[in-house]
Amino acid sequence: MKVHIRKILVWLSLCCLCSAALAEPFVQGGPIGSQTEGGFDALGPVVEQPIEFPHKTHAGTEPGQMGINCMYCHTYARRSNVSGIPRLDKCMGCHKMIESVKDKPRIKKLFEYWEKKEPIPWKKVHDLPDFVRFNHERHIQRFYFSEHRPVREVCGYCHGDVGSMTTARRVKALSMGWCVSCHQKDHLENANTTKTSNGPNDCWQCHK
Amino acid sequence: MSLSNLIKNWSTLRVKRPYEDQYKDKDYKWAMVIDLDACTGCNACTTACYAENNLPVVGKEAFSKGQAMHWIRIERYWGEGDELPKFPDRGAQFLPMLCQQCESAPCEVVCPVGATHHTPDGLNSQVYNRCIGSRYCSANCPYKVRYFNWWQYPERAWPNPLEQQLNPDVTVRSKGVMEKCTFCVQRLVEAKNRARTEGRRVEDGEVTTACAQACPTSAITFGNLADNKSQVAKMWARQQVDLAKDKQEKSDENMRGYRIFEDLRTYPSIVYMERIRDLQA
């Protein structure tokens, strides 16, 4: 009898595991560039950051969230190839003045780095291969400054809705076919016109 | 290439290239003029190219087998064809030879995987990720300016800490791919992006190749042929060289501008200006 109970228990637990696996549409931390059947939304590898930075609190627009423009911290996106990770003094510029959250564990960590005079070793989440030339400036200038689309949408084309995440996760494929699928669409040239054009379709624009 | 793109650009894709005024309404057509009378054969262009484009130094043994990776090389000519040099004491004639960025490139049509093709701004591109190393393109190039990576050079050419000198804007090529002069495309893309953000066309002199920049006698002129006011376009016009013609009709036979192997109908983007020699002195 005891053996039977054990067998049943094993079967039950196996069933639970299987159903849990089936309910999860994609596996977190799957291989780089893996895609679900439905589209390009498999999550990239889990990157553990030194501080679990809550993008939600800073960039989110719901009540209680700050709704800061992405480019307040990622300053170089509008004028450079790379968007840039903010320096520690950018964090401190605000957090020195915010007394209410000073004893939260993440902020304590932040102050530790500040006192040690060490930069926070953030890790790259959206890491393109070395043979790819990607320019943030052109995309931001086109869609944010010329077409006046909302910033969270513009950044979200490639980065997903980071404003609803804590630490950023890769939610788009960032593969060549995925880039090209957007470059082939007709985009308005600016906010005041109906004229459209495509993204560059030339190998050497992106391949080094 | 999508079907919609194919249908939309059918007329431009099916036309025989190059044709008259092909780049008239286009923004860019990169071209070059090399004045052989100014060239002293100092090899500064080659050195600059090695530094800019992450070219590996292959070593003596590989060099003797003809496996050197110089995208621009200085060729030496002592006499015309098989004839003996008339003035050996005056030294050789020099000719910098680099990819001619042909408008009708023999290398492009033979690539089995489409790794080399023509860009909208008139360059003959080479995409390393696609290249499978069949070497057909090199065999079909009349100028012999395509170079094959016979070995895995990076570890040998840049032992630690020399990898720090590599240009991050250019891929370090691995074994088994073909490579060639790109007209310093990394600089061109950067200049074009900057110009687009500012809502204008790249101005003449704003961007140049590493070889042209390093040339101490300014023998190399680089620029945009689609821009009538650029120095290159003026020099082409002055030398009466037309991009779309394989036989140039010149009003004055003393005109020095010519393109190499024009009769092969490759329509190169580089005009050479013949050297003047005083045969009496």
Side-chain angles (χ1 to χ4, degrees):
Chain A
M1 193 64 195
K2 262 188 184 175
V3 179
H4 281 289
I5 291 170
R6 197 177 285 169
K7 265 188 182 171
I8 290 162
L9 277 173
V10 168
W11 273 109
L12 271 174
S13 57
L14 269 174
C15 286
C16 284
L17 277 172
C18 286
S19 60
L22 285 172
E24 185 67 55
F26 37 71
V27 184
Q28 289 205 344
I32 295 171
S34 61
Q35 297 168 6
T36 59
E37 284 171 3
F40 303 104
D41 50 358
L43 289 173
V46 183
V47 180
E48 275 187 36
Q49 301 289 1
I51 297 176
E52 209 173 278
F53 180 83
H55 280 94
K56 210 195 287 186
T57 323
H58 292 83
T61 42
E62 273 157 42
Q65 299 175 339
M66 310 304 295
I68 303 170
N69 189 314
C70 306
M71 285 186 286
Y72 179 76
C73 300
H74 301 284
T75 19
Y76 308 112
R78 76 194 87 149
R79 53 193 161 103
S80 158
N81 278 359
V82 291
S83 64
I85 298 295
R87 296 185 311 185
L88 187 48
D89 60 343
K90 185 140 251 167
C91 309
M92 293 306 289
C94 295
H95 275 283
K96 256 187 180 174
M97 307 299 157
I98 308 173
E99 291 292 333
S100 57
V101 292
K102 255 190 182 167
D103 43 347
K104 295 259 175 92
R106 289 167 185 161
I107 311 296
K108 271 187 184 164
K109 251 187 181 174
L110 177 72
F111 273 83
E112 268 170 38
Y113 278 109
W114 178 250
E115 253 119 61
K116 276 192 285 180
K117 296 189 176 174
E118 269 179 20
I120 305 172
W122 298 113
K123 284 178 196 143
K124 212 166 179 181
V125 178
H126 297 86
D127 196 7
L128 289 175
D130 286 349
F131 53 78
V132 174
R133 183 188 291 128
F134 176 81
N135 191 320
H136 274 89
E137 182 190 9
R138 282 305 309 145
H139 291 89
I140 296 289
Q141 289 289 344
R142 174 69 181 268
F143 296 116
Y144 182 68
F145 288 103
S146 297
E147 259 185 68
H148 306 302
R149 298 192 197 181
V151 67
R152 225 171 122 179
E153 183 191 318
V154 173
C155 299
Y157 295 149
C158 306
H159 294 286
D161 193 9
V162 181
S164 65
M165 302 179 196
T166 45
T167 52
R169 291 287 307 278
R170 214 180 69 189
V171 292
K172 304 284 180 175
L174 306 187
S175 62
M176 185 175 127
W178 175 81
C179 291
V180 171
S181 71
C182 193
H183 273 226
Q184 283 178 340
K185 282 180 196 156
D186 293 321
H187 298 287
L188 289 176
E189 294 204 335
N190 58 52
N192 310 320
T193 179
T194 51
K195 216 179 140 197
T196 59
S197 61
N198 312 119
N201 188 25
D202 165 14
C203 302
W204 258 357
Q205 191 70 29
C206 312
H207 279 277
K208 286 182 184 173
Chain B
M1 186 182 289
S2 69
L3 190 64
S4 58
N5 184 22
L6 196 68
I7 294 164
K8 205 163 117 192
N9 300 313
W10 183 253
S11 57
T12 53
L13 291 169
R14 291 300 303 158
V15 76
K16 185 180 158 286
R17 285 157 186 279
Y19 50 91
E20 277 297 312
D21 296 332
Q22 188 182 336
Y23 292 98
K24 205 183 170 192
D25 305 321
K26 299 278 170 59
D27 281 344
Y28 304 107
K29 158 66 199 166
W30 304 110
M32 202 178 250
V33 177
I34 300 180
D35 187 350
L36 299 180
D37 206 28
C39 177
T40 60
C42 72
N43 271 306
C45 47
T46 312
T47 315
C49 187
Y50 267 78
E52 172 74 21
N53 290 307
N54 298 342
L55 301 186
V57 177
V58 294
K60 209 172 177 180
E61 200 189 323
F63 194 100
S64 64
K65 287 180 191 162
Q67 297 174 1
M69 306 295 287
H70 39 215
W71 288 1
I72 177 169
R73 60 173 191 258
I74 303 288
E75 291 185 347
R76 288 168 296 176
Y77 293 99
W78 294 87
E80 289 283 321
D82 292 333
E83 82 185 56
L84 290 168
K86 276 185 191 144
F87 308 101
D89 51 322
R90 288 199 205 164
Q93 285 202 57
F94 301 108
L95 186 139
M97 176 51 83
L98 63 157
C99 176
Q100 306 286 309
Q101 313 285 357
C102 310
E103 269 304 306
S104 171
C107 54
E108 284 169 12
V109 286
V110 294
C111 181
V113 291
T116 174
H117 77 134
H118 223 65
T119 69
D121 44 2
L123 296 179
N124 171 235
S125 73
Q126 173 75 20
V127 180
Y128 309 121
N129 303 65
R130 278 202 172 176
C131 180
I132 55 166
S134 73
R135 313 199 305 278
Y136 288 155
C137 53
S138 168
N140 214 28
C141 174
Y143 306 97
K144 291 288 161 274
V145 285
R146 286 179 156 266
Y147 301 95
F148 187 66
N149 283 278
W150 290 98
W151 307 99
Q152 185 72 22
Y153 291 115
E155 290 88 14
R156 253 197 279 167
W158 303 286
N160 186 283
L162 284 184
E163 81 276 1
Q164 303 281 337
Q165 76 173 32
L166 292 171
N167 184 352
D169 295 333
V170 182
T171 306
V172 177
R173 281 80 55 185
S174 57
K175 182 178 170 178
V177 298
M178 191 59 76
E179 58 184 67
K180 62 176 269 295
C181 164
T182 63
F183 266 4
C184 287
V185 71
Q186 66 278 8
R187 296 178 176 207
L188 304 182
V189 168
E190 201 191 312
K192 277 197 292 184
N193 282 339
R194 195 167 52 229
R196 278 206 80 175
T197 302
E198 290 167 18
R200 57 179 174 84
R201 193 154 71 161
V202 173
E203 283 164 20
D204 194 28
E206 189 181 338
V207 62
T208 189
T209 58
C211 51
Q213 193 183 0
C215 183
T217 57
S218 304
I220 305 176
T221 315
F222 177 81
N224 180 8
L225 199 62
D227 174 10
N228 288 335
K229 286 171 191 142
S230 73
Q231 206 187 344
V232 158
K234 281 181 190 165
M235 285 169 102
W236 276 58
R238 210 182 303 138
Q239 297 298 329
Q240 296 178 356
V241 181
D242 192 331
L243 186 71
K245 278 186 190 155
D246 59 354
K247 223 174 205 167
Q248 311 294 343
E249 293 147 17
K250 306 211 175 191
S251 58
D252 179 4
E253 59 179 35
N254 288 327
M255 233 167 240
R256 299 195 289 136
Y258 71 100
R259 295 192 292 181
I260 296 178
F261 295 157
E262 263 199 322
D263 47 335
L264 295 181
R265 297 204 182 118
T266 53
Y267 306 97
S269 302
I270 301 180
V271 163
Y272 286 86
M273 307 238 284
E274 214 173 335
R275 190 174 172 183
I276 302 164
R277 287 212 147 181
D278 186 357
L279 298 176
Q280 266 71 49

